[in-house]
Amino acid sequence: MSSTVSAQTPPALRLMHVHAHPDDESSKGAATTAKYVAEGVQVMVATCTGGERGSVLNPKMDRPEVWKDIAAIRHLEMDKAREILGVEQRWLGYIDSGFPEGDPLPPLPEGCFGLVDPDVAAQPLVRLIREFKPQVVTTYDEKGGYPHADHIMCHRITLAAVQQAADPNMHPDLGPAWQVSKLYYQMGFHRLRLAALDAAMHEKGLESPYVERLAKWEDFEYEKRITTRIPCADWFPVRDAALLAHATQIDPDGPWFAVPTEVQQKVWPTEDFELVFSTVPTTLPEDDLFAGLRQQVAEDPSEDWTI
């Protein structure tokens, strides 16, 4: 793995990931993040909530003192992951909705992120977009990647913020308008990838963590939405280190690490995305989130550059 800045990477490329909770930045697209950071791209993570209602998913951390200070601990974990990934990070300040379970589902807690008005709640992100001026933004799809209220709301406020940030007539008090050039949805959890890893594990005589999930898989069209595959296998170890920084959420002996890194690097060496819109010409499929942008930014790398 090389940390040498690419000679083809303009000095003013900026990438923003919008995530629902601390740990999402490490479990979704983190190797892509590490790759771009190594190339000299500026990367910002916007975290919508503090993870206050998250579960303790690592048995080794399931202790009363951890539950008592879960919000503070998750902030510290985010700091560690941020340092490992080499990114900037900002909290948007919303309250975790938790993950209600039961039949029927109980209502979401009052005041939580999942109940906000997305057009209003987008404003802190509008300010951040106008300050950081990312050419590329990533977030979750319309289903949140999976049906968590915070992930779905993260999708909604990101779309609202990208639109509002570009409109000089909206919220002029939040800074000069900025047009995001490309928006992507993260597509890491799709059937093709899990099936390939599952087959590789069986070939090696190892137990696959995906057998039950694949047996229940229903949406065989989802993977067809992938437009962009980022080769980033060399940065899988950085991704894994960032994941382990979230010790309350990630069990090092659990399914996240059941497939050896070298198997993942060989079988599925990319992280995958769906291009939602682009203001610049690009040819699909892509292998670069900045496809269509590099030359333009290189020609005018000033902070005021826009489309």
Side-chain angles (χ1 to χ4, degrees):
M1 179 174 60
S2 172
S3 60
T4 303
V5 175
S6 169
Q8 298 181 349
T9 300
L13 291 180
R14 294 177 297 277
L15 168 63
M16 176 181 285
H17 300 301
V18 188
H19 286 290
H21 311 105
D23 79 74
D24 288 325
E25 83 297 325
S26 298
S27 60
K28 302 164 188 69
T32 296
T33 295
K35 168 187 167 70
Y36 282 123
V37 168
E39 292 180 356
V41 175
Q42 296 174 309
V43 182
M44 170 73 75
V45 171
T47 310
C48 293
T49 79
E52 300 87 352
R53 292 191 173 98
S55 300
V56 176
L57 302 176
N58 180 356
K60 302 174 187 66
M61 296 291 288
D62 191 0
R63 306 189 302 268
E65 66 271 21
V66 172
W67 282 102
K68 180 180 178 181
D69 293 322
I70 186 66
I73 289 172
R74 296 201 71 181
H75 274 242
L76 291 173
E77 291 173 345
M78 182 70 245
D79 283 343
K80 292 179 182 178
R82 173 185 54 75
E83 291 179 3
I84 291 167
L85 292 172
V87 301
E88 299 179 59
Q89 187 263 344
R90 299 289 186 274
W91 302 96
L92 297 187
Y94 293 104
I95 303 299
D96 191 341
S97 303
F99 193 60
E101 298 181 81
D103 187 14
L105 286 173
L108 293 175
E110 185 177 351
C112 72
F113 183 52
L115 295 178
V116 299
D117 179 337
D119 288 330
V120 176
Q123 292 182 34
L125 186 56
V126 171
R127 182 188 297 275
L128 190 58
I129 288 172
R130 289 177 174 177
E131 289 177 355
F132 185 65
K133 301 178 181 175
Q135 292 94 7
V136 177
V137 170
T138 80
T139 192
Y140 317 129
D141 67 19
E142 66 281 355
K143 295 182 179 179
Y146 76 107
H148 190 302
D150 288 340
H151 285 245
I152 294 170
M153 187 56 68
C154 180
H155 160 85
R156 291 174 178 170
I157 74 157
T158 303
L159 266 62
V162 167
Q163 181 180 16
Q164 292 177 24
D167 187 344
N169 296 315
M170 295 199 72
H171 312 301
D173 56 313
L174 300 181
W178 178 260
Q179 173 66 64
V180 170
S181 302
K182 301 179 81 175
L183 176 68
Y184 289 90
Y185 295 156
Q186 297 160 12
M187 300 286 286
F189 300 106
H190 58 83
R191 185 190 62 86
L192 279 180
R193 174 177 174 269
L194 299 192
L197 294 173
D198 178 78
M201 292 291 280
H202 288 305
E203 287 174 7
K204 289 182 172 294
L206 300 173
E207 184 176 353
S208 168
Y210 303 124
V211 174
E212 184 176 351
R213 187 185 301 187
L214 287 168
K216 297 179 179 179
W217 207 279
E218 296 180 353
D219 186 356
F220 286 76
E221 299 298 313
Y222 186 67
E223 60 218 29
K224 296 179 181 179
R225 295 171 54 170
I226 296 170
T227 62
T228 310
R229 302 181 189 275
I230 308 301
C232 54
D234 286 348
W235 286 269
F236 285 1
V238 181
R239 172 203 65 189
D240 293 348
L243 267 172
L244 289 170
H246 292 283
T248 60
Q249 305 302 300
I250 302 296
D251 181 358
D253 300 317
W256 278 106
F257 295 96
V259 181
T261 301
E262 60 271 19
V263 173
Q264 297 181 53
Q265 290 173 318
K266 180 179 180 180
V267 173
W268 207 274
T270 67
E271 289 181 337
D272 306 328
F273 298 82
E274 178 188 5
L275 178 62
V276 182
F277 79 77
S278 177
T279 66
V280 295
T282 186
T283 301
L284 301 181
E286 301 173 319
D287 62 2
D288 180 13
L289 299 181
F290 292 93
L293 281 164
R294 289 181 182 269
Q295 183 176 353
Q296 294 192 42
V297 178
E299 291 172 352
D300 183 6
S302 72
E303 288 298 310
D304 293 328
W305 183 89
T306 187
I307 296 298

